């Protein structure tokens, strides 16, 4: 078993089962996530026990590219698959966008990551290590984590929940839920997340089911009504993401319909400029986006236009690939 797969609770149980004091979990978490040890070579009785059951198998950075405000890292995994993560430098600190699966099965027609079917889920250690390796490589602390890279986080539910638990634990890294954002295209599993304290961003991308079903097959399993109901019953504010696709969902009528749809819902709309892919979609013009945005604002809807990161690196939303392009 990889040591970075272990939640604090699982480590406590591991020690208890062996008649050891479960408080040792605290020492291990401290060693792993604060001192950043990467082996059990230091001889001690506990290390001898751990060595038998756990390994530190890692993931490797096989390519790194940078631009002014972003760094893209390509990670090689133990089975020769690869995934990407992107560091974004905001004025308020660093955020890392990590991948949760190799490929993706959601089939959104505009998304590069979906062009490759899901190969497999990432294990918790492969998500934890995207974060630790990125910090080590860049020599910088990463304060925020967004699950917006390759994959649908809720299609890898248990592993993603373990990951959040591991990086969030106060005896380890202590990344608070308010610094973690899960982005989901909206799958029925979402209904289990009413109480989650992480930030949630749901990919809405259309003002009605007719357009959404054309763009996102998942709409047949979890429709716009499901998303709105979920958002209404959640205590925390939810982000609704809306990609601006020229001639598809960006007209004034679409904006008015969207405003009606989310009126009174505890959310804000994040308008995302479409990033170019090899797929046949075009980004809305700056003017179109500005008109769309003002209709929302004039209708009393909270909205922002997403700041762009890394589009020169093909590191922006929807451009990440599980396929090695080297
Ligand atoms: N599967 C999750 C998270 C990964 S994608 C989800 O669907 O939310 C993160 C966001 O980028 C989603 O809103 C997705 O729809 C969007 N996206 C995909 N392709 C894009 C592109 N080419 N340009 C801009 N955003 C894109």
């Amino acid at each position: 078993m990889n040591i970075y797969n272990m939640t604090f609770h699982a480590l406590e149980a591991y020690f208890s089962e062996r008649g050891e004091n479960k408080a040792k979990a605290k020492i291990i978490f401290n060693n792993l996530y604060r001192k950043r040890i990467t082996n059990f070579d230091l001889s001690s009785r506990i290390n001898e026990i751990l060595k038998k059951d756990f390994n530190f198998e890692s993931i490797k950075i096989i390519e790194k590219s940078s631009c002014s405000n972003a760094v893209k890292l390509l990670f090689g995994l133990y089975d020769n698959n690869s995934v990407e993560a992107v560091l974004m430098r905001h004025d308020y600190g660093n955020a890392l966008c990590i991948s949760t699966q190799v490929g993706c099965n959601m089939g959104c027609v505009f998304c590069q990551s979906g062009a490759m079917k899901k190969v497999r889920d990432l294990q918790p250690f492969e998500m934890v290590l995207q974060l630790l390796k990125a910090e080590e490589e860049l020599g910088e602390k990463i304060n925020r984590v967004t699950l917006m890279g390759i994959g649908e986080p809720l299609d890898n539910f248990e592993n993603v929940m373990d990951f959040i638990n591991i990086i969030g634990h106060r005896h380890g890294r202590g990344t608070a839920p308010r610094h973690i954002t899960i982005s989901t295209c909206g799958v029925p599993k979402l209904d289990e997340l009413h109480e989650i304290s992480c930030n949630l961003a749901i990919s809405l991308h259309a003002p009605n089911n007719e357009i959404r079903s054309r763009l996102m097959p998942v709409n047949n399993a979890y429709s716009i009504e499901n998303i709105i109901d979920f958002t209404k019953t959640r205590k925390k504010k939810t982000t609704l993401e809306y990609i601006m696709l020229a001639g598809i969902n960006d007209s004034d009528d679409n904006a008015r319909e969207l405003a009606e749809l989310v009126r009174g819902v505890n959310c804000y709309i994040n308008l995302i400029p479409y990033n170019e892919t090899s797929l046949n979609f075009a980004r809305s013009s700056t003017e179109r986006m500005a008109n769309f945005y003002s209709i929302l604002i004039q209708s009393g809807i909270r909205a922002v236009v997403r700041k762009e990161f890394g589009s020169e690196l093909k590191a922006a939303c929807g451009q990440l690939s599980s396929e090695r392009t080297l």
Side-chain angles (χ1 to χ4, degrees):
M1 167 72 92
N2 193 294
I3 189 69
Y4 298 107
N5 266 344
M6 297 294 282
T7 60
F8 189 80
H9 191 71
L11 258 185
E12 282 188 328
Y14 170 86
F15 285 119
S16 298
E17 279 160 22
R18 280 156 189 79
E20 300 283 342
N21 185 345
K22 67 175 187 179
K24 292 198 169 66
K26 195 167 153 183
I27 302 171
I28 304 304
F29 255 52
N30 190 48
N31 283 342
L32 291 174
Y33 299 109
R34 297 198 186 173
K35 295 191 186 153
R36 300 285 169 99
I37 61 147
T38 52
N39 56 56
F40 293 128
D41 287 350
L42 221 60
S43 83
S44 73
R45 198 173 58 82
I46 288 306
N47 280 354
E48 291 310 315
I49 302 176
L50 291 170
K51 249 183 191 169
K52 274 193 256 128
D53 292 322
F54 298 108
N55 65 70
F56 280 88
E57 186 171 28
S58 194
I59 65 175
K60 268 201 222 71
I61 296 178
I62 51 182
E63 198 191 35
K64 174 179 158 183
S65 35
S66 323
C67 67
S68 55
N69 59 9
V71 182
K72 179 166 84 165
L73 299 170
L74 178 70
F75 288 101
L77 310 176
Y78 65 86
D79 56 0
N80 274 334
N81 281 305
S82 51
V83 289
E84 294 177 324
V86 182
L87 174 92
M88 292 162 287
R89 295 201 171 90
H90 294 273
D91 351 322
Y92 52 79
N94 291 327
L96 188 71
C97 172
I98 72 155
S99 293
T100 55
Q101 297 179 314
V102 180
C104 181
N105 269 347
M106 297 300 118
C108 301
V109 294
F110 48 79
C111 177
Q112 193 75 59
S113 309
M116 184 190 178
K117 285 268 163 268
K118 179 174 102 172
V119 177
R120 67 171 175 89
D121 290 328
L122 293 187
Q123 293 183 50
F125 85 90
E126 295 172 299
M127 296 182 249
V128 171
L129 284 170
Q130 288 176 57
L131 184 55
L132 300 188
K133 286 278 160 194
E135 282 188 327
E136 184 186 304
E137 174 71 23
L138 304 159
E140 292 173 42
K141 174 110 178 102
I142 294 168
N143 332 67
R144 281 164 201 267
V145 177
T146 61
L147 280 68
M148 288 191 189
I150 303 160
E152 167 49 46
L154 303 189
D155 187 39
N156 184 12
F157 194 80
E158 305 295 331
N159 288 337
V160 163
M161 293 304 136
D162 279 357
F163 162 69
I164 290 172
N165 201 309
I166 293 167
I167 64 165
H169 202 277
R170 67 195 167 93
H171 292 312
R173 222 175 164 280
T175 308
R178 67 175 188 285
H179 289 154
I180 301 176
T181 302
I182 302 178
S183 177
T184 174
C185 62
V187 291
K189 202 81 183 159
L190 187 55
D191 285 331
E192 293 176 27
L193 295 186
H194 276 113
E195 302 296 326
I196 199 164
S197 38
C198 295
N199 304 305
L200 278 181
I202 307 177
S203 298
L204 181 67
H205 301 337
N208 59 51
N209 284 318
E210 203 257 309
I211 300 179
R212 193 164 189 269
S213 293
R214 268 194 277 141
L215 298 174
M216 306 174 69
V218 71
N219 197 55
N220 299 318
Y222 202 82
S223 67
I224 290 201
E225 289 72 30
N226 294 131
I227 293 177
I228 298 299
D229 285 349
F230 171 85
T231 308
K232 274 185 179 159
T233 46
R234 190 171 177 236
K235 281 194 208 84
K236 279 190 70 156
K237 189 184 288 176
T238 302
T239 301
L240 299 179
E241 299 168 286
Y242 194 101
I243 298 190
M244 301 292 295
L245 296 166
I248 292 181
N249 63 359
D250 66 345
S251 70
D252 287 355
D253 278 350
N254 295 149
R256 285 188 279 268
E257 196 177 359
L258 178 62
E260 281 318 304
L261 180 70
V262 302
R263 189 173 302 290
V265 178
N266 189 18
C267 70
Y268 77 88
I269 304 286
N270 200 337
L271 296 175
I272 310 178
Y274 182 65
N275 297 306
E276 197 191 304
T277 64
S278 59
L279 307 160
N280 217 358
F281 288 92
R283 151 191 303 228
S284 310
S285 68
T286 313
E287 194 193 355
R288 188 88 296 280
M289 281 196 266
N291 283 346
F292 195 98
Y293 171 80
S294 358
I295 292 175
L296 294 180
I297 299 295
Q298 279 157 19
S299 316
I301 306 299
R302 283 172 298 229
V304 291
V305 178
R306 179 175 287 174
K307 182 169 163 25
E308 290 193 70
F309 283 92
S311 37
E312 313 102 276
L313 295 177
K314 293 229 178 304
C317 293
Q319 293 182 315
L320 299 185
S321 161
S322 288
E323 274 159 350
R324 225 176 276 199
T325 44
L326 307 177

